[in-house]
Amino acid sequence: MQSALPACDPGDPLRIEIVRPKALSGVTVARCRSDARRHRSVKDRFASVSFTAGQSEWRARGRAYTARPGALALMLPGEVHREESRDGPARFQAVLFDDALVDEARLSLGGRPFAPPPSLFLERGEPEGAPLRTLHALVREGDADPLALQTALAESLRSVVALTSPGHAGRARPYAWGAPLRRAFELIRERFVTALSLDEIALHVGLDKFQLIRAFRDQLGVTPYAYVTQLRIGRAQALLTRGVPPSEIAARVGLYDQSQLNRHFKRIVGVTPGQFARAVA
């Protein structure tokens, strides 16, 4: 699946740049800057985010994190990330990895199972983030040697696998999501472009709908419906960056019509689908 790109949520003009380095098949780079409203997004690919300006407080998985210049965030598929406050303008770069790249690296490194880490953020200087920092620096250059880029990508994928595998030395505690909520995420990510009822999700995971809503609020801070909507708008962003006309997007992401797409897109991203398409063209 494609990833929700970082949403510049601007009251000022949208400033976002999408790059797909020729030497890095399966990698998308998104550069975002905004001086106005805060950011919110859902990823459905692994993403490494490098913060270059501003200090922000973020919330994900029910926990708060501080992002300072020089910090890195490892964002996982299916997670909701909300910027709750900011001091100064926001500037960051996201490197997004197609699922096939991470799966190939995980298999090559012994098939280590996926186990999300307890912390999303790596402060400046933490050695575990060194390969990802190198990759971010090289893709910023724009004219880096292809072999250097490919080496940095391989080292970064090794780091992503290590950080998301059981027994990692930096893991302070088990991941908090229980099995029912994991099953809910899996079902929703498979079916979010189709009709999906609250009762159907609850039955699938063995919870009643009230328990399900509480679990989502506790872990993500949103309802199941809001989570589905975030995924749909994330898919819409990815389609728009690939040149799909805005008029075709609603039907492809599970929304009823263009007006519903425009309403949700403007609320979540801060601009209309047409404005977003022009900004990333």
Side-chain angles (χ1 to χ4, degrees), residues 115-184:
S119 178
L120 293 167
F121 283 85
L122 297 170
E123 296 289 350
R124 180 195 296 270
E126 290 192 51
E128 293 166 312
L132 293 165
R133 290 190 181 89
T134 298
L135 181 60
H136 276 282
L138 287 172
V139 297
R140 281 192 194 99
E141 291 179 9
D143 58 354
D145 182 88
L147 181 57
L149 282 167
Q150 292 158 10
T151 301
L153 173 60
E155 291 298 307
S156 293
L157 290 169
R158 177 185 290 272
S159 181
V160 169
V161 170
L163 287 165
T164 59
S165 295
H168 171 58
R171 290 177 59 80
R173 60 179 176 80
Y175 195 43
W177 290 355
L181 202 53
R182 287 199 301 271
R183 291 197 297 271

Side-chain angles (χ1 to χ4, degrees), residues 70-258:
L72 285 174
L74 178 61
M75 297 185 175
L76 308 180
E79 291 188 325
V80 177
H81 300 268
R82 301 193 312 279
E83 186 184 27
E84 297 194 327
S85 65
R86 183 194 307 155
D87 182 10
R91 307 285 186 271
F92 59 85
Q93 174 177 271
V95 177
L96 305 112
F97 308 101
D98 281 358
D99 289 347
L101 291 177
V102 181
D103 291 344
E104 179 186 15
R106 198 175 296 281
L107 181 63
S108 177
L109 295 169
R112 301 162 73 182
F114 173 64
S119 178
L120 293 167
F121 283 85
L122 297 170
E123 296 289 350
R124 180 195 296 270
E126 290 192 51
E128 293 166 312
L132 293 165
R133 290 190 181 89
T134 298
L135 181 60
H136 276 282
L138 287 172
V139 297
R140 281 192 194 99
E141 291 179 9
D143 58 354
D145 182 88
L147 181 57
L149 282 167
Q150 292 158 10
T151 301
L153 173 60
E155 291 298 307
S156 293
L157 290 169
R158 177 185 290 272
S159 181
V160 169
V161 170
L163 287 165
T164 59
S165 295
H168 171 58
R171 290 177 59 80
R173 60 179 176 80
Y175 195 43
W177 290 355
L181 202 53
R182 287 199 301 271
R183 291 197 297 271
F185 293 147
E186 290 167 0
L187 177 66
I188 290 172
R189 290 181 61 207
E190 289 174 0
R191 296 267 312 276
F192 70 87
V193 299
T194 64
L196 192 60
S197 72
L198 186 63
D199 287 335
E200 185 178 357
I201 300 169
L203 180 63
H204 179 77
V205 304
L207 299 174
D208 66 42
K209 57 188 176 184
F210 305 105
Q211 292 171 324
L212 179 67
I213 291 173
R214 180 175 179 179
F216 265 78
R217 286 197 179 279
D218 287 347
Q219 292 297 326
L220 298 183
V222 296
T223 65
Y225 172 72
Y227 182 64
V228 168
T229 302
Q230 290 271 3
L231 288 176
R232 287 171 170 169
I233 297 306
R235 174 66 62 83
Q237 289 178 268
L239 292 172
L240 288 167
T241 64
R242 299 208 303 269
V244 177
S247 59
E248 298 180 13
I249 298 294
R252 294 179 63 168
V253 301
L255 293 172
Y256 294 123
D257 53 28
Q258 188 71 23

